[in-house]
Amino acid sequence: MNNKALAEYLVSAETEKREVTRITAEHPELTVEDAYVIQEQLVGMKLEQGYRIVGPKMGLTSRAKMKQMNVEEPIYGYIFDYMVEDSGRISMSDLIHPKVEAEIAFIMGKDLEGPGVTGAQALAATDYVIPALEIIDSRYENFQFTLPDVIADNASSSRVIFGSAMRRPGELELDLVGVTLSINGQLKDLGAGAAVVGHPAHSVAMLANMLARKGLKIKKGDIILTGGITGAVMLSTGDYVTAKWDGLGEIGFTVSE
Ligand code: OOG
Ligand code: MG
């Protein structure tokens, strides 16, 4: 299959809500660079379908995930408008095998263009920080993939629920913000902003620098998910998910059929 066919394969898995064999099973030679070309095709297909980009997102930014995947650099993907859920519920029938993770999102007040962007510059270009729950839903069987697989699959992006709290980036020490993630009143995981490459602003800076290699930049108005602070927790029908952030309020949602 060529790059376009591989992107179509992944888009149809998402649309038809079924898991598929990872693409490196048939194409073991795929590199990270090849995978971003497939991701670009996939993003182009969604734009052609009329969807709008909310912002790029970072993934595999936590030490735990990087170690698990044996990688030194995080990855990026894109969040589209149809992924933003504001009804207080997600439907299992729209998804394959979703997991939830707690994050901090940045609302950009200025363009940010690499290379050489620092965390301080990323903070200076940010209007607000808000809490977010990301629902990742790898299109691959059993959520198992190699690095090129997950990059091609738009970093498992599926849904996102933003919280209503908005803070100026200087109002909080984002690395020290604690987060808890509970399901049906039971604590599932917790963490602090520092889990995201030391500081969530550093994640935004890395994103700007990675995009620069493609001649791209972060744009004013982009809403950027900086990467999971907690681990990703599997969801089941009937779950009630709550997460709390120090200084950034909380988010709750239910998982319906
Ligand atoms: C890849 C998506 C990673 C994050 O925040 O680390 C991601 C995956 O683990 O399926 O969104
Ligand atoms: Mg994420």
Side-chain angles (χ1 to χ4, degrees):
M1 278 196 262
N2 60 25
N3 291 332
K4 180 131 191 288
L6 289 168
E8 277 165 1
Y9 173 77
L10 291 167
V11 168
S12 68
E14 180 188 358
T15 316
E16 294 162 22
K17 299 147 200 156
R18 59 185 173 81
E19 46 177 30
V20 294
T21 304
R22 61 190 169 81
I23 59 179
T24 56
E26 216 182 302
H27 302 276
E29 73 290 350
L30 268 185
T31 64
V32 162
E33 286 71 31
D34 297 332
Y36 276 113
V37 174
I38 298 167
Q39 188 196 92
E40 273 167 44
Q41 294 273 349
L42 182 149
V43 167
M45 285 170 64
K46 289 183 186 291
L47 292 173
E48 266 169 37
Q49 286 167 17
Y51 297 122
R52 204 180 48 81
I53 291 174
V54 171
K57 74 154 210 185
M58 286 291 266
L60 309 183
T61 51
S62 71
R63 232 156 300 185
K65 276 202 190 186
M66 281 201 244
K67 209 166 156 195
Q68 191 190 328
M69 294 295 297
N70 198 18
V71 293
E72 264 145 52
E73 191 174 63
I75 62 174
Y76 64 86
Y78 289 88
I79 299 295
F80 286 88
D81 51 358
Y82 74 90
M83 297 177 174
V84 179
E85 191 54 75
D86 54 15
S87 66
R89 68 173 55 215
I90 61 162
S91 286
M92 207 63 170
S93 56
D94 291 341
L95 306 167
I96 304 168
H97 41 208
K99 296 183 184 181
V100 63
E101 52 191 19
E103 307 207 4
I104 292 173
F106 281 48
I107 303 180
M108 304 310 295
K110 295 192 184 98
D111 287 3
L112 190 62
E113 190 167 7
V117 172
T118 64
Q121 288 169 335
L123 278 179
T126 304
D127 263 354
Y128 295 100
V129 293
I130 61 174
L133 287 177
E134 182 178 20
I135 288 92
I136 52 174
D137 196 22
S138 171
R139 269 52 70 169
Y140 300 119
E141 282 160 355
N142 304 318
F143 233 104
Q144 280 176 2
F145 41 72
T146 66
L147 193 62
D149 288 311
V150 65
I151 291 168
D153 187 28
N154 193 22
S156 309
S157 302
S158 177
R159 293 289 182 274
V160 58
I161 301 171
F162 293 116
S164 53
M166 291 172 95
R167 293 282 177 274
R168 290 288 193 177
E171 287 179 63
L172 294 167
E173 288 191 73
L174 290 176
D175 51 342
L176 302 184
V177 168
V179 186
T180 59
L181 177 63
S182 303
I183 299 190
N184 304 326
Q186 235 194 331
L187 182 68
K188 293 292 180 186
D189 203 8
L190 53 81
V196 180
V197 290
H199 192 296
H202 190 206
S203 174
V204 175
M206 287 175 98
L207 174 63
N209 296 331
M210 290 168 81
L211 290 175
R213 293 183 209 151
K214 291 262 178 194
L216 301 171
K217 62 180 179 184
I218 290 172
K219 298 191 189 107
K220 173 183 163 73
D222 278 349
I223 306 178
I224 297 170
L225 294 178
T226 53
I229 293 171
T230 62
V233 180
M234 202 92 201
L235 293 171
S236 306
T237 303
D239 282 348
Y240 181 62
V241 181
T242 49
K244 292 184 190 169
W245 289 252
D246 292 335
L248 283 170
E250 50 185 279
I251 302 179
F253 73 92
T254 52
V255 182
S256 62
E257 268 181 32

